[in-house]
Amino acid sequence: MAGSLVQLKCATRSLISCANDKSRIQLPNSRVLVLGGTGRVGGSTAIALSKLCPELRIVIGGRNREKGAAMVAKLGDNSEFAEVDIDSVASLEAALTDVDLVVHAAGPFQQAEKCSVLEAAIETKTAYIDVCDDTSYALRAKSFNSKALAANIPAITTGGIYPGVSNVMAAELVRAAATESKGNPERLRFYYYTAGTGGAGPTILATSFLLLGEDVVAYNKGEKIKLKPYSGMLNIDFGKGIGKRDVYLLNLPEVQSVHEILGVPTVSARFGTSPFFWNWGMVAMTSIFPQEVLKDRSKVNELVELFDPVVRALDGIAGERVSMRVDLECTDGRNTVGIFSHKSLSVSVGNATAAFVLAVLEGSTQPGVWFPEEPEGIAIEAREILLRRASEGTINFVMNKAPWMVETAPKEFGLGIYV
């Protein structure tokens, strides 16, 4: 079946039911393998897929049979568990036999030396999506573009919520500016906020610590610059349901991909969390620990074991709200934003990743390895549909609005002029 994915997509496109926002998608006989399916991100993706497309066959891939059985019981009859070791080529290729698409959610992606899952997907001619949040890994995945083309399979890297949906939001802001503005895109900024770890567990904590060991790559007027991680604090208004939050520079892959693909000369990304003292702790870590320590995965895992119980306890109080704000400024003074806010990171990341999965299964992605923001008809054919599915259940989702229209406390300069 995996070898006939392209034919399957053409055959099933006519079966897709999208009469309204709440309609269920029909993809009979399609099988999706979710690697890391017993974890928070993979599990949330599997649950979202089962709700959006009840007929979809979902294979939960992981190492823990007990956790796998629990997830299968939650998903129901159209699911099964497969024991998979992503470090074993034989195990991967066996698991990919007879599935149409694999979702790689078995992070963290930081410091991974190979794109083993993508390579196995190409070898078995299986469509691929990952939720990578690491610049080096994303660029390494992109280097397999010619091999994916030769194998005639579609693959999307950085296809989760952020990066992922945030990239598509950026692409839509740039597209709108191209048709509505007299100027050119000049500056694009990503701002992200989660309450605590967003309920996402030790993997996200490890990712956060590892990112503190990386210099931040940003672009200023076309020049690539490097900055200190968790520096450059800004107080950003995320609008309804979230309000103003402090955010700090981090090294995230969408900065480079958006700069190169969308041609925006100035790009940066910032992230913040709550309670506020976690931000102070992150800043302190960049001063207390040498980068060599924060780059050492074994030492970072020791830190995670130390902090995880405290983080889990505080997560119960902080909740897991998540928000993304993407700002675009043009040379003619036009300034527009997109905001995506949800009460649950674990639910919204599942919805976001599932939206990419369905886009690929429906034939929205051409063969090759793509970033989400690449031109429509190559990575994502219908961005509006993807954003609609990903934003299911959001407390606030707006696109292409002036900042004063979405912020909680815009500044008025008089005569009805806001900034």
Side-chain angles (χ1 to χ4, degrees):
M1 184 185 296
S4 59
L5 176 64
V6 175
Q7 292 91 329
L8 170 68
K9 290 187 294 186
C10 294
T12 59
R13 188 178 298 183
S14 63
L15 296 173
I16 299 163
S17 174
C18 293
N20 56 63
D21 288 356
K22 295 183 180 180
S23 61
R24 290 183 172 184
I25 298 91
Q26 299 176 18
L27 290 168
N29 303 318
S30 297
R31 288 166 57 86
V32 173
L33 170 65
V34 183
L35 295 174
T38 60
R40 187 61 65 95
V41 175
S44 298
T45 300
I47 290 169
L49 283 171
S50 69
K51 291 179 179 179
L52 282 167
C53 190
E55 295 183 5
L56 189 67
R57 300 291 302 180
I58 300 172
V59 183
I60 299 299
R63 296 184 179 184
N64 189 312
R65 286 192 169 274
E66 185 177 346
K67 289 182 178 180
M71 180 57 68
V72 167
K74 185 181 294 186
L75 294 172
D77 293 340
N78 274 2
S79 65
E80 61 187 275
F81 175 74
E83 189 170 351
V84 185
D85 179 359
I86 65 169
D87 295 320
S88 166
V89 174
S91 179
L92 275 174
E93 292 187 357
L96 290 172
T97 301
D98 204 34
V99 300
D100 300 299
L101 183 145
V102 57
V103 180
H104 184 7
F109 293 87
Q110 281 72 22
Q111 299 181 14
E113 296 180 354
K114 296 181 179 179
C115 295
S116 302
V117 178
L118 176 56
E119 292 184 69
I122 291 171
E123 184 65 27
T124 57
K125 294 182 169 54
T126 306
Y128 169 94
I129 290 173
D130 67 45
V131 295
C132 165
D133 52 4
D134 178 69
T135 303
S136 296
Y137 190 99
L139 294 175
R140 190 179 301 117
K142 185 66 174 172
S143 72
F144 285 88
N145 182 57
S146 59
K147 291 185 178 180
L149 279 168
N152 199 33
I153 66 149
I156 294 179
T157 186
T158 67
I161 183 169
Y162 61 85
V165 170
S166 57
N167 304 48
V168 177
M169 290 170 65
E172 281 297 278
L173 290 179
V174 170
R175 181 197 61 77
T179 58
E180 301 169 10
S181 174
K182 294 181 180 179
N184 297 315
E186 184 174 37
R187 182 163 68 166
L188 195 147
R189 292 164 294 177
F190 294 97
Y191 303 121
Y192 303 122
Y193 163 79
T194 66
T197 64
T203 297
I204 297 299
L205 197 57
T207 296
S208 300
F209 290 168
L210 287 167
L211 282 170
L212 296 181
E214 298 181 10
D215 289 333
V216 173
V217 172
Y219 291 87
N220 183 35
K221 298 180 181 179
E223 180 185 357
K224 185 176 182 179
I225 58 176
K226 291 188 177 181
L227 303 165
K228 183 180 179 180
Y230 238 75
S231 63
M233 187 273 284
L234 294 176
N235 186 247
I236 298 299
D237 194 334
F238 287 92
K240 181 177 68 176
I242 305 295
K244 293 185 176 181
R245 302 289 176 174
D246 293 343
V247 290
Y248 304 76
L249 288 163
L250 271 184
N251 189 40
L252 300 174
E254 56 267 44
V255 171
Q256 182 166 339
S257 64
V258 160
H259 168 73
E260 294 178 355
I261 293 167
L262 300 182
V264 184
T266 299
V267 188
S268 62
R270 285 175 168 85
F271 169 84
T273 186
S274 63
F276 63 90
F277 51 77
W278 281 132
N279 289 321
W280 295 355
M282 298 283 271
V283 172
M285 286 181 70
T286 62
S287 300
I288 295 171
F289 295 104
Q291 277 196 323
E292 290 71 22
V293 171
L294 294 171
K295 287 180 179 179
D296 188 320
R297 202 158 181 167
S298 63
K299 288 185 171 61
V300 164
N301 286 336
E302 290 176 7
L303 288 173
V304 169
E305 289 182 11
L306 178 65
F307 285 106
D308 188 58
V310 180
V311 172
R312 296 281 74 73
L314 286 173
D315 270 4
I317 300 171
E320 55 170 305
R321 292 197 172 204
V322 61
S323 188
M324 308 184 290
R325 172 171 168 163
V326 185
D327 282 43
L328 177 67
E329 295 179 19
C330 295
T331 54
D332 63 352
R334 174 190 174 95
N335 186 2
T336 53
V337 304
I339 291 180
F340 176 116
S341 299
H342 198 286
K343 63 183 179 181
S344 170
L345 173 60
S346 56
V347 172
S348 59
V349 73
N351 291 342
T353 311
F356 281 101
V357 170
L358 294 175
V360 173
L361 287 176
E362 292 167 358
S364 177
T365 306
Q366 296 299 310
V369 180
W370 312 110
F371 290 110
E373 69 271 28
E374 300 208 51
E376 281 190 290
I378 293 179
I380 302 299
E381 186 173 324
R383 292 176 183 154
E384 183 180 350
I385 293 175
L386 182 141
L387 290 175
R388 187 194 68 211
R389 289 171 176 167
S391 62
E392 179 72 24
T394 51
I395 56 177
N396 191 24
F397 177 66
V398 294
M399 282 294 298
N400 202 34
K401 300 292 185 182
W404 67 267
M405 297 176 70
V406 297
E407 293 177 344
T408 55
K411 296 178 182 178
E412 183 178 7
F413 277 78
L415 301 176
I417 299 174
Y418 291 82
V419 297

